Amino acid sequence: MNRRTFLTFSAGATAGLMITPIPWKLTDDASIWTQNWQWNPKVPKRAIYFAEMASKLDPSGSGVKVAVVNGNAVGVAGNVDHPLGKGAVSTMAAAEVGLLHSPARVRQPMLKTATGFKAISWDEAETILTGKLSEARGEVAMVSGDDTGSANEIFAALVNGLDGSFYMMPGETQSAHKALEMMGGEGRIAYDIENADYVLFLGADALESSGTSTRNARVFSETHPTGKAASAKYVYAGPVMNNTAVVCDQWIQAKPGAAATVALGLSRILMDNGAVANAKGFASFKQNVAQGYAPAHVERETGVRADVLKKIARELAAAKRPLVIAGSEFGQGAGARALMASLGLNVLLGQMGQSVKIIPGAPAVVQGAGSESERYAADVIPFLKGVAEGRDGAKVLMVYDANPAYGLPQTQAMAKAMDKAAYTVSFSSFMDETAERANLIMPNSMTAERYDDLYTPHGAGTATYSVNKPLVKSAFDTRTTADVMLSVASRLGMDLGYASFKDVLQAKATRLGASWSSLRQGKAWTSASASSAQLNLAPCAAPAVRAIGEGTLALAPVVKHNIGTSKVAMPPHSAGSIRDTELSGVQTVVQMNAKTARMSGVKAGETVKLMGPGGEMTAQVYVSEKVMTGVVAAPLGFGHTAWDGFSKGVGENAFKLLAAADDPETGLSVWSTNRVTIATA
Amino acid sequence: MVKKASSSGGALPFFVGFVAMLFVGWWVFPQALFSKAEQPIRFSHVIHVDDGGMSCEDCHYFNDDGSFSGIPNTESCAECHSDVMGEDPAEEQFVNEYVNEEKEVEWLVYQDQPDNVFFSHAAHQDKDCTTCHPNMSENDTPPTHYKNVLTGYSNGGYKIVFGRGVGVDPAYSRGTMKMWECERCHAENGQSNACYVCHR
Amino acid sequence: MAGFKEFNIRWSMVVDIDKCTGCGACMTACNKENNIAPQEEAKARLESKGFPTRFKKIEWLTIYELSNGKQGGDHDTAFLPRPCMQCGMPSCVSVCPAIATDKNEEGGIVSQIYPRCFGCRYCMASCPYHARVFNWDQPIFPEGMEKQLTPNVSVRSRGVVEKCNFCHHRLMYAKDAARVAGEDPEKLADGAYMPACAEACPTGAISFGDVKNPEHEVHELAKSPYAFRLLERLGTDPQVYYISKREWVRKQGDNYLESEGAAAHGGNGGGQHG
């Protein structure tokens, strides 16, 4: 072949090429290729189906609908039929589905060895736990952070059967049980916020982190219709203009932990104006309140001006259905006093049985579990302090649905307790600070993957009960802890009366008189029944808890569920909603007003060191008038040392600053009145 | 020089090159451009429709929320096929590998559209299914799935011919449609061609 | 100025600023619904690259915090959630060289077609609301999380602009539901179509509907004497309305002179100062 032949051949080939699809098809396809991004993850093409679930990660227990595509949970929608969700999706419920594949999840049972964690099988894990428990009989302890589940009954029955001790994590539910117990009642406190025309929140961050906040927020929305006049007045008293205060009709500046004193101050004004209550212990209550709590005294103690206090008292007295909801600004550490004082005030306002009801607690169905209030009786703080100091022995310490190594005051001591206990078992779904310190991790399945139930969180309006069933297959080799413990119990030769957790839930439904089949479909059960028992007002006027620490500023920890809860670190899908006023880079931002900053000699943007009775932290200062004078506000939820890249090493943990003090009157530790010192770092 | 020209064969090399390129373009190129795959299970529509007496809507129906059920999942199939019913090896394979293992079948979709396309079956319910899909009810063995390796688009289960299928109404490929096909039908039927009518 | 089409339906959001707690549930719901990849250590990573955070975060909905600037007891705060305004006169559409963004569908939602965008970011520069974000990085989902993508929205690649579209897929779903129920998909009932943020909001601060349909609640709300729109005097004619009974909040919605009072009503269109 010569050159000419080749050229002729090429010319022929080129002519031929023009009438083949090659150039035209390739051009077209190449342009499509550039638009189809085959390197991107692909979305599923199947129809979306919705299944109902009550969020267990959301402390307000809101019911939602989970969007399921092809067996994967892909999203969350509101459920208008659920009494605690009312169609809304709270921050934590919205994030819950996104956590199913969180990088922080524990993927299978893990055993700690000299070189780190080693994956083991469930059978091995159960064998190890059974062995440890039978050796440690009498020195077994368990801590649970699940305030609404029947799983606690199985745990308590097992631990009681081994002569061990069972603790609930401190929080509003424990405070409520203690308050009711001291006042001679039993059950749960219910707030009928739906029908209240005047709501006073004393400290309680009731639209964000306290009680049934999702439901409260929906009721707030209904009583404050957009574009129309409000049908109820909402007032918040607290040190920080938090998420609740910012939308309330009025914000009253009150020092951290002032709820009880303000409630008693209001009671005093009402009684001075002739208010009486036909209740047990009223005389003693009146006498004790009259001895202190004059408006001028309350102003000195709490920062609430006497004229404001009087005005609020007048408005409360004039309202048809007033409601006072009290609590700690950050949901824990108030002990029982705030609640007792507020219950006294509600009784004075004639609202017992009206705005405030006592509703029955969850009936026990597992033999040997004891009653609900018995389970809440013991205070975990002194126990863990004792373990940390080597005073209390715990040969096996088990932790369920809680992260005591992170979310309690004196965090270092609590973390040390995890190290000091001879053998620690964590049932956490996530590699949290407690799991990281555990000898054995037996990961729990998440809400959408397991059977579980939810009975009436603190502050609900009526008794409610929801059952969750597995909506998706477990993402990892995890199991429902309640089922694991039933199996361990039978290995130990104990008969708790049930073969599976599902049977426990079914028994509970029967005890409540609820329909199992409708519960199983995700429909919540509610009951209007309320107790008519009279409360004894005598213990309501207990003396004020002193400030903890010697610092110049009062510390106001702030909880926001997009940053996380004391159990769950910042969910990946919430990371974008963290504000510059909460986190700067990886530094926690604390807020104080201009006057406080001047007094403390610090400037906006400056890095400072906060020193509290529990420990120290560094933070950046943001000057905001949302905080009352003399107070520094610190966000809780940062500073994780475990978890995943979304939360690990981001900011510092403000729990470290806090220290708990004993309150012998109530028997519960308190830590809502900590003081800190500030210095430029 | 003249002599040399005649020895080079005149138009012959041109013709050879022409024919060779036609062969490459119409035979080799399609083989290279399209990958072939068979369905993981030999699903017979004929058996289900003729022998089983099922109607199309038994599996392909609209949900109340307006979504289209599409291809049934293993759970739906297992309503009948919880155990092996017949003697077909494909059914046995399905029960063993998918029903018992609770696994979803990775069906190959002949009309799979890219992620950025929003297609609504509800909006097209007055059209005949076979406007866009091949007539599957007459299908005993699912056709080979030809997939364009460059674009990922399928050819609708028809033999590889560019743009359209063989023996098909030439208007629509019945495979992965390209934008112009959607747009043309919308225009012909007086429907909007605004971006968000089809994209997401 | 070139005119844009008038539509019979005008999907609108009315945000009651006085009811927003700033909790962030809308943002979390939005991120999940629209397959926005979670960003590991988002803030630290972004800030270390030296860009202002607001230009580097991928979020379609942002909540701004407003302050009346006063000290002590007179101080007041408000939260302002800001989605895409779906402007009637969208400046982003005029500047797009690729027609990747357009306002051409009934309902007035400004579309954004990701594969068509080549990342020039003119639209971002032209948007007075900072509603648009650019994918500086390839979206990375933690292992396994890509199984949890919703079928609703395609995943965007590095190098394209994205923005809020009022959860447009939910409009499509609502229309499909209407079709299957035998109803007119162009006459959706109030509440049939609701973006994820409006649905999630615990305090009900976000109302949504067709502002031109008297049967929809937003029809009246947008006429409220307390209603206003952001930077209304630019003439962008946003489809997002805000309501606040506080005058200082309304004044911060636009660049008012010290001596001016805030707009009493948002329905009067823009351009008085043009």
Side-chain angles (χ1 to χ4, degrees), chain B residues 92-132:
Chain B
E92 198 183 323
Q93 185 196 358
F94 172 70
V95 171
N96 289 339
E97 290 177 20
Y98 296 95
V99 177
N100 294 346
E101 303 282 317
E102 290 180 33
K103 244 174 66 184
E104 293 300 322
V105 186
E106 307 269 336
W107 296 110
L108 303 165
V109 180
Y110 301 105
Q111 284 74 29
D112 210 13
Q113 289 292 332
D115 278 5
N116 58 59
V117 175
F118 186 101
F119 181 82
S120 156
H121 277 93
H124 297 87
Q125 44 180 324
D126 57 334
K127 290 261 171 271
D128 199 72
C129 303
T130 53
T131 311
C132 306

Side-chain angles (χ1 to χ4, degrees), chain B residues 180-192:
Chain B
W180 66 266
E181 294 180 86
C182 305
E183 282 186 309
R184 191 178 67 177
C185 189
H186 274 215
E188 283 170 2
N189 288 287
Q191 294 301 313
S192 166

Side-chain angles (χ1 to χ4, degrees), chain A residues 233-588:
Chain A
K233 183 172 179 181
Y234 281 49
V235 179
Y236 180 82
V240 181
M241 191 186 233
N242 56 16
N243 286 6
T244 302
V246 79
V247 293
C248 276
D249 302 286
Q250 190 182 348
W251 171 41
I252 299 167
Q253 301 197 348
K255 284 181 194 165
T261 309
V262 174
L264 294 174
L266 289 167
S267 301
R268 157 98 186 237
I269 297 170
L270 289 172
M271 287 191 284
D272 285 354
N273 292 339
V276 286
N278 180 21
K280 242 187 289 173
F282 173 69
S284 139
F285 176 67
K286 185 171 181 180
Q287 196 190 350
N288 285 337
V289 172
Q291 277 168 10
Y293 308 107
H297 171 79
V298 174
E299 177 167 341
R300 250 193 333 274
E301 290 281 312
T302 67
V304 179
R305 291 211 318 270
D307 57 325
V308 173
L309 199 69
K310 286 175 188 158
K311 184 167 161 277
I312 296 295
R314 268 199 308 278
E315 289 178 357
L316 279 171
K320 281 199 194 79
R321 287 279 294 240
L323 169 62
V324 181
I325 298 178
S328 153
E329 291 82 10
F330 55 106
Q332 51 167 250
R337 295 194 59 253
L339 260 177
M340 287 198 292
S342 74
L343 286 175
L345 176 55
N346 278 309
V347 171
L348 268 187
L349 290 165
Q351 291 306 316
M352 192 48 74
Q354 306 279 320
S355 286
V356 181
K357 297 185 181 104
I358 308 300
I359 53 173
V365 294
V366 180
Q367 277 285 322
S371 75
E372 234 180 356
S373 40
E374 281 164 18
R375 289 199 293 278
Y376 277 101
D379 186 356
V380 75
I381 303 280
F383 165 71
L384 287 178
K385 277 187 196 169
V387 174
E389 287 159 16
R391 277 186 282 122
D392 271 327
K395 281 199 178 149
V396 178
L397 173 61
M398 296 180 285
V399 181
Y400 175 76
D401 197 21
N403 189 6
Y406 171 84
L408 285 178
Q410 281 148 294
T411 320
Q412 268 123 353
M414 299 299 141
K416 201 173 159 199
M418 298 300 130
D419 298 330
K420 278 277 182 131
Y423 203 82
T424 320
V425 184
S426 165
F427 298 103
S428 176
S429 304
F430 303 99
M431 189 55 97
D432 58 23
E433 284 77 5
T434 304
E436 214 175 50
R437 288 177 169 79
N439 299 85
L440 178 65
I441 313 174
M442 299 170 78
N444 193 8
S445 297
M446 283 186 63
T447 316
E449 302 167 332
R450 68 175 194 245
Y451 271 103
D452 209 339
D453 64 345
L454 194 140
Y455 181 85
T456 322
H458 169 68
T462 55
T464 66
Y465 187 60
S466 303
V467 165
N468 290 327
K469 62 172 188 290
L471 304 177
V472 295
K473 261 193 260 177
S474 292
F476 303 107
D477 186 15
T478 57
R479 284 189 189 175
T480 310
T481 305
D483 278 322
V484 170
M485 292 300 258
L486 281 174
S487 156
V488 168
S490 81
R491 282 175 187 237
L492 284 165
M494 291 165 65
D495 180 17
L496 299 182
Y498 296 93
S500 77
F501 188 34
K502 189 180 157 193
D503 298 340
V504 176
L505 305 182
Q506 226 163 338
K508 181 142 279 189
T510 312
R511 278 292 300 275
L512 287 167
S515 149
W516 172 249
S517 65
S518 89
L519 280 173
R520 213 179 163 276
Q521 280 161 24
K523 306 275 173 288
W525 166 90
T526 57
S527 157
S529 72
S531 143
S532 56
Q534 271 225 344
L535 294 182
N536 178 9
L537 295 192
C540 293
V545 175
R546 64 197 184 282
I548 303 161
E550 303 297 319
T552 48
L553 300 178
L555 176 70
V558 177
V559 175
K560 288 189 66 182
H561 284 170
N562 55 338
I563 304 177
T565 66
S566 54
K567 296 177 197 173
V568 187
M570 184 204 303
H573 288 284
S574 299
S577 65
I578 308 300
R579 312 195 66 81
D580 295 340
T581 55
E582 292 152 2
L583 185 72
S584 168
V586 289
Q587 202 165 40
T588 303

Side-chain angles (χ1 to χ4, degrees), chain C residues 1 20 33 72 96 104 128 131 147 173 180 198 229 240 257 273:
Chain C
M1 193 185 280
C20 176
E33 178 90 5
C96 180
N104 57 356
K147 282 187 212 154
Y173 292 155
V180 167
R229 293 182 288 174
V240 176
L257 298 173
H273 285 247

Side-chain angles (χ1 to χ4, degrees), chain C residues 112-132:
Chain C
Q112 173 75 16
I113 309 302
Y114 315 116
R116 196 150 183 145
C117 171
F118 56 81
C120 72
R121 285 165 281 147
Y122 284 4
C123 56
M124 290 175 71
S126 75
C127 175
Y129 304 105
H130 295 303
R132 292 170 160 271

Side-chain angles (χ1 to χ4, degrees), chain B residues 62-67 115-116 118-123 125 179 192-200, chain C residues 99 102 104-105 109-116 151-154 165 168-169 172-173 176-177 179-180:
Chain B
F62 285 103
N63 294 303
D64 287 343
D65 66 359
S67 60
D115 278 5
N116 58 59
F118 186 101
F119 181 82
S120 156
H121 277 93
Q125 44 180 324
M179 196 161 114
S192 166
N193 263 323
C195 312
Y196 261 2
V197 170
C198 301
H199 281 291
R200 59 179 184 182
Chain C
I99 326 180
D102 205 349
N104 57 356
E105 190 206 0
I109 296 173
V110 176
S111 61
Q112 173 75 16
I113 309 302
Y114 315 116
R116 196 150 183 145
N152 306 328
V153 181
S154 55
N165 56 15
H168 183 269
H169 56 274
M172 305 303 256
Y173 292 155
D176 278 1
R179 285 182 185 114
V180 167

Side-chain angles (χ1 to χ4, degrees), chain C residues 1 15 43 62 75 80 101 103-104 124 127 131 147 153 158 160 164 169 197 200 210 221 224 235 237 251 273:
Chain C
M1 193 185 280
V15 184
K43 304 200 61 158
T62 300
H75 176 262
L80 185 145
T101 185
K103 189 184 180 77
N104 57 356
M124 290 175 71
C127 175
K147 282 187 212 154
V153 181
R158 174 182 176 152
V160 304
C164 155
H169 56 274
C197 56
D210 174 10
L221 293 180
S224 156
D237 187 22
K251 278 187 99 166
H273 285 247

